[in-house]
Amino acid sequence: MPSTTTVFSAYSSLTASSMLVRAIVNEVKSILNLFIPIPLQRKIISKLGCLYGHQTTELILNIHEHGGGTRNQMYEASEVYLRTMVASPSLARLAVSKCQREKSLAVTAEKDQDVVEIFEGVQVKWRLICINNDSASQRREKQNFYELSFPKLCKEIVLSSYLPYVLKRSKEIKEENMGLKLHALGLHRGLGGVWGSTNLNHPSTFDTLAMDINLKKEVLEDLDRFVKRKEFYKRVGKPWKRGYLLYGPPGTGKSSLIAAMANYLHFNIYDMELTSIYSNSDLRKLLVSTRNRSILVIEDIDCSVEFKDRTSTEGASNRNQFTLSGLLNFIDGLWSSCGDERIIIFTTNYKDRLDPALLRPGRMDMHIHMSYCTPCGFKLLASNYLQIQNHPLFEQIQLLIKNVNVTPAEVAEELMKSDDSKTSLEGLLNFLQSKKTHPNESNAEEGERKPTNPKQAEEQKAGKGNKRPKKAKKAKVIDYDD
C-alpha cells in the first residue's frame, strides 16, 4: 500500500497537470477565435462529434401548442418560420389553403414529415405531431406540438442561437405579411382560452366616420398618446391599457369607430360575448389567451347580461357564477396586467343602465358619446357616398338635421338608394321631413327598442309597450363584492 505522503503527492501532481491542460486549452481557444470564425469552429466541432459516434445521439425538444392556458409563443414562431421551408426536398406532402379575401395561397408542411435545415453547420430536423385524445367528457381534443431534433453535442448552439433566430425571423415574416384579425370564441373548442379568427377587412377609417370633428380629433390624440406611453405606464405603476365607453343610440357608428381604431393602430380585435361566459374562471382563461396590441370589445354591455345589485348577498352562496366583481377585476384588477398595449371597449345604447362601478376612470377612461347625425357629419357622408362637396339641397337638409334625430346609418341608407346625386338628396330630404312630421314612428327614437323575445312582444301587445322593456336575461350574473 502506498503511503499517505505518496498519495497526496500524486494527487497534487494530477491537479497541477489538469490546471495546465485547462490553461493550454483556453489559450488555444483564444488563438482559434482570432483566426477561425465561430460558425466554422462549431462546424468543426460538429464533424468531430460525428467521428466519435455522436451522430446517433440526438436530443429532442418538444414545442407544444399551448402552455399555462395560453398559446405557446415558440410554437407560433415555429409555425410561421416553417412556412418558408416548404421547398425542402424532404417533403412529400403539402397542405394548401386560402382564406376568404386573402391574396395568396398558404402552403404548409403536412404532419409527420421531416423538415431538415442546416444552421451554422448543425443539422436540425422539424416534425409536426398531431395527437387526438379522448377526454373524460367524451370530447375529442387535438394536441399539436413540434418535435425538434439535433445532435446532443449542439444543444448550446440550438438553445442560444437557433431558437432565438427562429423567433426573430418569424416576427419579421409576420410584419411583412401582417393582416388584421377579428377573433371570436371558438365554439368547437369550448372556453379553453381558444379563440377562432377571421380576417378583418372592415373599410372604416377616421376619414370616413361621420363624427363631430373635434371629438374625432380628441380620440385620435388619445390613441396616439396611449401607444407612445410604454415607459410612462411603467413609471407610474399602471398596466399598459386604456378603456373606452362608446354610448349612444343604435346606428350612430359605434362599431364603425371600433373598426377605425383597429385600422388606425393596426390592432387585432377580440369580440367577447359575455353570454358565453358562465364563471369568473372562464373570463380569466379568455383574458390570458388574448395577445398584446389588441382591442377587446364587449358590445351592448347593458343587455348582454343581467347584473344584480353589487350590495346583494344573493351571490354569496354561489361562487362559481360570473360576477360583476369578476368583470371589474378583469378590467383593472390583478388580471388586467396580463398583457401590454391593450384597449378595452364597452358599447351601450343606454349609459344610465350601467353600474357606476364600470364607469369610473381606470376602468372606462374615456366616455365617447356617439350622437345623432350633425350637419358636418352629413356633408362628410355626402362626400363619401355621392362624391359631391356641395348641392342646392344641402342647406335644406342641414337645417332639418339640426331639428330631427336621425342617425348616420339612416342618412347613409338614403344616400345609397340611387347613383344620381339629386335623386338621393331628394329622397333624404323627404325622409327627414317625414321624421319631423311623425317622430314617434322612427325606430331610432331613443329609449325605444324592438321586442327581443316573444314575451316582450306579448307585453307590448297587451299595452305595456310604452315602458322600456327589461333587459333580456341571457346569462345570470351575480355579484357579491366589489
Side-chain angles (χ1 to χ4, degrees), residues 352-364:
D352 58 323
R353 292 186 181 183
L354 300 183
D355 192 298
L358 286 169
L359 304 179
R360 72 167 177 79
R363 289 168 180 164
M364 293 295 105

Side-chain angles (χ1 to χ4, degrees), residues 103-164:
K103 295 181 180 179
S104 58
L105 299 174
V107 184
T108 57
E110 277 283 20
K111 63 181 180 178
D112 298 326
Q113 292 189 102
D114 293 337
V115 180
V116 181
E117 181 181 26
I118 305 297
F119 177 81
E120 295 186 0
V122 178
Q123 178 176 291
V124 295
K125 185 167 61 179
W126 294 88
R127 174 173 285 210
L128 174 62
I129 309 294
C130 299
I131 301 176
N132 287 322
N133 292 328
D134 289 326
S135 65
S137 61
Q138 302 301 316
R139 180 181 60 192
R140 293 190 72 84
E141 293 185 354
K142 186 164 65 175
Q143 295 183 2
N144 299 335
F145 64 92
Y146 282 105
E147 195 177 81
L148 176 62
S149 57
F150 50 88
K152 277 187 177 180
L153 192 66
C154 304
K155 175 183 175 182
E156 183 180 351
I157 299 174
V158 171
L159 292 178
S160 62
S161 299
Y162 182 59
L163 292 183

Side-chain angles (χ1 to χ4, degrees), residues 385-386 415-424:
Y385 284 82
L386 304 178
L415 296 179
M416 291 176 65
K417 289 184 176 180
S418 175
D419 293 331
D420 180 68
S421 301
K422 183 179 179 182
T423 303
S424 294

Side-chain angles (χ1 to χ4, degrees), residues 222 226 229 233 238-244 267 287 294 328-333 335-344 360-365:
D222 193 76
F226 168 72
R229 281 189 157 187
Y233 279 90
K238 291 174 63 69
W240 191 11
K241 66 176 185 64
R242 189 78 172 156
Y244 294 87
F267 279 18
L287 172 63
S294 62
L328 297 179
N329 190 47
F330 153 71
I331 297 171
D332 72 341
W335 285 97
S336 67
S337 60
C338 297
D340 284 332
E341 209 169 357
R342 287 178 175 171
I343 289 175
I344 302 171
R360 72 167 177 79
R363 289 168 180 164
M364 293 295 105
D365 304 290

Side-chain angles (χ1 to χ4, degrees), residues 260-289:
M261 294 168 75
N263 287 326
Y264 181 74
L265 298 175
H266 216 81
F267 279 18
N268 292 327
I269 293 179
Y270 289 84
D271 184 16
M272 181 177 286
E273 286 281 351
L274 293 186
T275 56
S276 300
I277 301 173
Y278 300 101
S279 69
N280 292 338
S281 61
D282 287 340
L283 186 66
R284 289 193 293 269
K285 289 176 184 177
L286 291 172
L287 172 63
V288 298
S289 61

